[in-house]
Amino acid sequence: MISSRCVDLFPGPGGTPLTDIRRELKKSIEAEKLFGAKAFEVWINEGAEALDHIENSWDACLKQVRDCDVLIVLFNGHAGWAKEAGDIGICHAEYIEGLNTSRSKVRLIELPTCAATSDVAQTDRNNRFKSFKQSESAFRGGIVPQDVPTLVKEVHKALVDAVLAQAREGGKGTGTLRSDLGAALEWNRLDFAGRREVMRHVVGDALGQRTGAQTAVVGVVLPIDHKPTLIKVDAVPAAFTIAAAREPMGRPHLQDHLSAHALQKVGGPVHLIACHRSVTENQATNLLGFPDATVVSSPFGIYVADEIQKMQFVFLANCRDPSQTRHAVQRFLDWLEQSGEGKYLAERAQARARIVKAIAQEQRQKA
């Protein structure tokens, strides 16, 4: 698979569109023979079949990243498109997914940097991609000069290197992003309190940049199914099994009545918890306090909803660094839209607000 921008121009005489270069690479690579037989099949989205109606292009691209044997990333500094300001771009997401699947199959080649953009949100996405790329120790070639033949040659060299590397490793990928380098290492250096704080900040910022979002003292009010919904953010800064990491969060739903003042014409709260490591369904329902609830496992983590008291939790798994954390937020919100669950989450949140306000009123009368 070749991952890159399509519409950007490759610098040089005439400014060749990257999509033309991608097509040329596909043709030249597929022409290569190994002992007289065709060795490679190249996937680029220009030649992809129409997507199934249950898939969107984002998920389809990430599936191709997971399924491919070699991922060639052509990096020109542009993170790619994204739906919302606080999201990461598709090129950034493909690079993360490739490293998570198998580092040994990923090869990144740097192109001359693309022109600056006046779009502030896109500039932020590009800067996040650049920072992530610089923090990783994955294979990177030198910067390709401004001529297409050299680029084609470097891609062929990277492809050979990837094939040989995987052959030497017996086809075993190293899976998952490393936590001993870059931003992940910086987070690992922090104590639990410091890591919890930065995780909460990244999630809050990602939510706060969504269209229609409003930052409140107790969380972020986000329009879900056109209904304002209060999202309260917390984090577990280590494995969920470590009590010292989990206990500062407590059972946040037991304190929902303290946020009743923020629920005027607003539903919720919905608790969104960033988990530094993985999280299981059993751990999620244990926090809720009982197992009889709606539990959904998904690539972003786990969603739990109680149909009686209308409590709702979202557990974002493997939030090891800012990029993976933002992507988890993004994938959860995309899942709400794709699955149609956003409607039911918003309805539960409206009901939960009524329950919380009733509890708060009862507490005031006792006082």
Side-chain angles (χ1 to χ4, degrees):
M1 175 178 174
I2 297 174
S3 169
S4 77
R5 291 280 291 166
C6 295
V7 298
D8 290 355
L9 298 179
F10 184 72
T16 307
L18 281 176
T19 190
D20 291 348
I21 296 174
R22 289 157 58 89
R23 292 180 188 277
E24 180 178 341
L25 285 168
K26 175 179 171 67
K27 182 178 179 180
S28 64
I29 292 171
E30 290 185 342
E32 294 289 340
K33 302 288 185 179
L34 183 63
F35 300 111
K38 181 178 178 180
F40 301 105
E41 179 180 349
V42 180
W43 189 91
I44 55 175
N45 56 24
E46 291 91 339
E49 296 179 0
L51 297 177
D52 188 277
H53 70 281
I54 63 172
E55 285 190 301
N56 66 11
S57 57
W58 188 282
D59 288 334
C61 288
L62 296 190
K63 182 179 185 300
Q64 289 296 333
V65 171
R66 292 189 294 271
D67 291 347
C68 73
D69 299 302
V70 178
L71 175 68
I72 303 292
V73 178
L74 304 182
F75 176 85
N76 71 342
H78 199 299
W81 64 271
K83 184 183 298 183
E84 297 284 347
D87 293 349
I88 65 174
I90 183 61
C91 297
H92 189 170
E94 288 174 350
Y95 189 40
I96 291 175
E97 195 75 10
L99 294 176
N100 265 327
T101 305
S102 171
R103 298 180 71 87
S104 63
K105 76 178 186 179
V106 181
R107 295 294 182 272
L108 182 144
I109 296 174
E110 293 196 47
L111 310 184
T113 304
C114 63
T117 174
S118 59
D119 185 335
V120 176
Q122 187 62 57
T123 298
D124 289 343
R125 281 194 288 272
N126 294 349
N127 288 337
R128 285 194 288 267
F129 191 18
K130 181 180 179 181
S131 296
F132 179 79
K133 184 265 297 182
Q134 291 175 337
S135 72
E136 286 299 312
S137 65
F139 174 94
R140 295 203 296 268
I143 297 177
V144 173
Q146 296 180 359
D147 66 274
V148 176
T150 302
L151 171 56
V152 173
K153 181 179 178 181
E154 290 300 318
V155 169
H156 281 243
K157 286 171 58 179
L159 178 58
V160 170
D161 183 85
V163 171
L164 291 176
Q166 293 189 79
R168 294 187 187 107
E169 294 177 9
K172 296 180 180 179
T174 54
T176 74
L177 291 171
R178 293 177 61 172
S179 59
D180 60 339
L181 296 169
L185 175 58
E186 291 177 10
W187 279 21
N188 280 335
R189 289 193 184 110
L190 299 172
D191 60 17
F192 284 177
R195 195 181 308 145
R196 180 187 180 204
E197 186 60 30
V198 297
M199 292 171 71
R200 292 168 70 178
H201 173 76
V202 170
V203 172
D205 185 63
L207 291 171
Q209 293 190 55
R210 305 289 293 192
T211 301
Q214 294 181 327
T215 302
V217 175
V218 294
V220 178
V221 177
L222 199 65
I224 297 179
D225 194 46
H226 309 294
K227 298 180 178 66
T229 305
L230 176 63
I231 310 293
K232 296 189 72 173
V233 176
D234 214 323
V236 178
F240 220 93
T241 53
I242 299 177
R246 187 181 65 250
E247 287 174 353
M249 176 181 63
R251 294 183 183 271
H253 52 292
L254 299 182
Q255 304 298 318
D256 282 352
H257 63 283
L258 300 178
S259 303
H261 64 280
L263 298 176
Q264 303 304 318
K265 298 182 180 180
V266 174
V270 175
H271 295 278
L272 193 152
I273 300 168
C275 303
H276 192 246
R277 306 295 176 86
S278 61
V279 58
T280 67
E281 292 185 6
N282 189 50
Q283 289 166 339
T285 54
N286 281 345
L287 183 65
L288 181 66
F290 49 87
D292 188 9
T294 298
V295 182
V296 179
S297 294
S298 182
F300 65 78
I302 294 177
Y303 170 61
V304 177
D306 162 37
E307 294 294 348
I308 305 301
Q309 301 178 63
K310 308 300 180 180
M311 297 178 292
Q312 297 181 93
F313 286 86
V314 181
F315 298 87
L316 304 179
N318 297 312
C319 297
R320 304 292 188 98
D321 61 33
S323 291
Q324 294 191 85
T325 303
R326 284 182 180 274
H327 198 203
V329 173
Q330 185 175 335
R331 299 204 77 177
F332 163 64
L333 295 172
D334 287 346
W335 171 76
L336 284 183
E337 183 177 328
Q338 295 164 17
S339 65
E341 187 66 24
K343 171 186 176 182
Y344 303 105
L345 181 147
E347 289 175 352
R348 294 188 196 101
Q350 294 290 318
R352 181 61 180 168
R354 294 192 291 270
I355 293 171
V356 167
K357 285 186 281 189
I359 294 173
Q361 178 66 26
E362 188 67 23
Q363 292 295 317
R364 285 194 293 269
Q365 291 179 357
K366 286 184 179 180

